[in-house]
Structures are given as structure tokens and as C-alpha cells.
Amino acid sequence: MLKEFKQLKALYPDKILIASIMEEYNKAAWEELIDRVEETGIDAIEVNFSCPHGMPERKMGAAVGQDCRLLEEVCGWINAKATVPVWAKMTPNITDITEPARVALRSGSEGVSAINTIMSVMGIDLKTLRPEPCVEGYSTPGGYSCKAVHPIALGKVMSIAKMMKSEFNDKDYSLSGIGGVETGGDAAEFILLGANTVQVCTGVMMHGYGLVKRLCEELKDFMKMHNFSSIEDFRGASIEYFTTHTELVRMQQEAIQQRKAVRKGLQSDKDWTGDGFVKETLSMVSN
């Protein structure tokens, strides 16, 4: 990709170009790779600590992001060498994604991005009994992406955003949200949960580069609807509306008691009419 990096910076010198890099557990190899990509004029680096296809047997990709001690060491090498900002890309294939995110930030990274793809097996051909996709009769677990991972990605990004706000000055660091983004609304959801930027990959592969322009226009429409003038006006705005299951039950019970006190909604089974089933049901549901 080095040739393409140089071409892009020559054609678009005022645009931001971020190099995504991955290497095995070898300090000298990482340092050489960083030198080579920085020579092309790139503006920042995203380090792939998360790809499930990253040859874990060679301590690459997700194998690093799943081992916080290894991550701390490799992050230290990278941030000591790099002269441009560094984002560490997190894997969702881990119990608590805030743990590697915390390590990456403490090891000098300017930010984190999340999530990469989710480890999966796509299926089995029930005629041949071979896994899919199939290469010479064999396969390997791989990364699942696109719309199906969007809810999972939102949850992971929110967890990281809350950790960054409570343990770091989140305005000094950056969080990039990734996972199933195909519309401006998808992007807005990540920002509402604390992301500074949003990335798209599978969406462009599926729908073409025109998706990016349409996504930006839809995001602007969302901002106009709420009179937001910048991303910061609504970044993280939805986090405060999340609580615990216990608290949700308490709030609902309290709301039910309040409605009963003012005799709102149906009071007993004999009040059901049948014809007004939907309206009568909604009358008993809290807002």
C-alpha cells in the first residue's frame, strides 16, 4: 500500500490519510513498518490489534488485543517510534473491551477505535459437510461484519466511552466507532454514545463509495433536526439515559404506582373491551 499512500497524499494533500498497520511480535519489524508508512506522508496510524484473520499463531492482530500484557509492550514500541498520532483498534472478541482500551491509552496511544469483526463460523454445507466459505475443502473461523454487528459495536463503544470519561480526560483522546454503519443515523448513534469519528468498510464494499456522501448528508439532516452545529454538541448525549436492570424495574414499578394513584389505564380485567385492545394496552405502558 505504500505506493497508494504516496499517490493519495499527492492528489489530496489537505485530506487526512490514516495508515492501518499490523505486524507480528517483533520490535524491529514494527519500527521498520512505522518508518516506511511515515515516509509516505500519512497523517496518523491505526494499529490493528484486533483482526481475527491476523494469524494469531504469529501473535498478530487479535492475539495482541486479547493479551493486555502483550498489548502494553507492543503499544510501547509503537508509540516510542511513531511521530504521528496513533489509534489502537480494539477486538470485540474479549470479555471486557475496556481493559485493552485502557492499556492502549496508558501506553501512549492518542485514541482507540472499535470494533473489529466478530469471530464466527458462517455455516456448514449440509450436503458436503464442509464449512463455508470453503477453500480446497477447508475453512477457518473469520470475522463477521456489517449490520448484524451494529448493536454489539454500539455497546462496546459506549463501554469504552464511559471508561475514557471516568478515567481519562476524554477531550484529550479520540474514540472512533466502527460496525455496521450504512446511514447517517447509524453514524449518529455512535457519536451519541461517545465516538468522535465513525468508520465505514463493509458498507462501502456493499453499496459503493457513493454511500459516504449520502451518509454525510443524512448526518447533517439529523444535526439540523436537533439544531446541532457541531459533533461535540451531541457527542455522548445518550449515555446518561443508560442505567441498570434493577433501576429500570424500580422506575417501572414507581410509574405503575403513580398511574394507579391517578387511575390512569385499566384497573381490572373486566375493563377490557376487545375492540380497543391496542389503545388499552398502551395506556398501561410507561413512556
Side-chain angles (χ1 to χ4, degrees):
M1 297 295 292
L2 298 178
K3 181 180 178 181
E4 286 83 358
F5 289 164
K6 291 179 180 179
Q7 290 176 335
L8 284 170
K9 287 306 295 183
L11 289 170
Y12 306 100
D14 298 327
K15 301 293 185 179
I16 300 299
L17 178 61
I18 302 174
S20 176
I21 62 173
M22 180 174 68
E23 185 52 86
E24 59 185 277
Y25 180 63
N26 183 311
K27 182 179 181 181
W30 274 109
E31 291 176 340
E32 179 188 355
L33 181 56
I34 292 168
D35 276 338
R36 293 174 70 186
V37 296
E38 286 195 357
E39 286 172 0
T40 67
I42 52 98
D43 301 283
I45 292 172
E46 182 183 75
V47 188
N48 183 350
F49 293 134
S50 49
C51 182
H53 311 127
M55 292 177 282
E57 65 276 8
R58 292 169 57 183
K59 294 186 179 179
M60 298 176 73
V64 181
Q66 292 168 331
D67 183 334
C68 285
R69 288 182 294 180
L70 190 60
L71 177 65
E72 182 178 22
E73 182 178 17
V74 177
C75 253
W77 298 342
I78 293 166
N79 286 293
K81 182 64 177 178
T83 62
V84 296
V86 173
W87 280 267
K89 189 172 183 179
M90 301 287 100
T91 175
N93 304 301
I94 191 168
T95 303
D96 183 357
I97 199 170
T98 66
E99 292 186 4
R102 182 182 296 109
V103 168
L105 295 173
R106 287 179 177 171
S107 300
S109 299
E110 279 75 16
V112 294
S113 54
I115 61 173
N116 208 315
T117 53
I118 297 172
M119 182 69 81
S120 64
V121 172
M122 294 304 295
I124 303 294
D125 185 319
L126 297 182
K127 292 182 178 179
T128 66
L129 310 186
R130 303 283 184 161
E132 297 286 356
C134 197
V135 178
E136 298 300 325
Y138 292 85
S139 190
T140 188
Y144 194 47
S145 67
C146 207
K147 295 297 289 185
V149 310
H150 187 65
I152 299 170
L154 291 175
K156 300 291 187 181
V157 166
M158 182 180 70
S159 295
I160 295 173
K162 291 171 70 174
M163 180 275 293
M164 290 174 66
K165 187 173 184 178
S166 65
E167 299 181 24
F168 300 83
N169 183 347
D170 67 339
K171 292 185 178 179
D172 293 335
Y173 296 90
S174 177
L175 173 59
S176 189
I178 311 165
V181 175
E182 293 185 342
T183 69
D186 295 333
E189 288 180 317
F190 275 118
I191 298 167
L192 286 164
L193 291 176
N196 302 86
T197 61
V198 178
Q199 299 184 37
V200 186
C201 180
T202 310
V204 170
M205 295 168 67
M206 297 279 289
H207 305 290
Y209 287 106
L211 173 76
V212 176
K213 185 175 182 179
R214 185 167 68 253
L215 188 154
C216 290
E217 292 303 319
E218 290 170 351
L219 183 58
K220 289 177 183 177
D221 289 341
F222 162 80
M223 293 174 66
K224 289 177 183 177
M225 180 173 67
H226 293 278
N227 295 316
F228 296 137
S229 59
S230 71
I231 295 296
E232 284 301 313
D233 285 349
F234 65 101
R235 187 172 71 85
S238 295
I239 294 178
E240 65 177 296
Y241 300 112
F242 285 85
T243 184
T244 64
H245 285 86
T246 300
E247 181 64 8
L248 288 175
V249 171
R250 185 200 66 76
M251 292 167 64
Q252 188 175 53
Q253 290 175 339
E254 184 178 281
I256 290 172
Q257 293 304 316
Q258 289 175 351
R259 285 199 300 276
K260 284 183 176 180
V262 297
R263 300 185 64 80
K264 182 178 180 181
L266 302 181
Q267 301 302 303
S268 68
D269 289 344
K270 66 183 179 61
D271 294 326
W272 290 106
T273 67
D275 293 337
F277 180 83
V278 174
K279 185 176 181 180
E280 292 166 355
T281 302
L282 290 175
S283 75
M284 303 185 71
V285 178
S286 63
N287 293 324

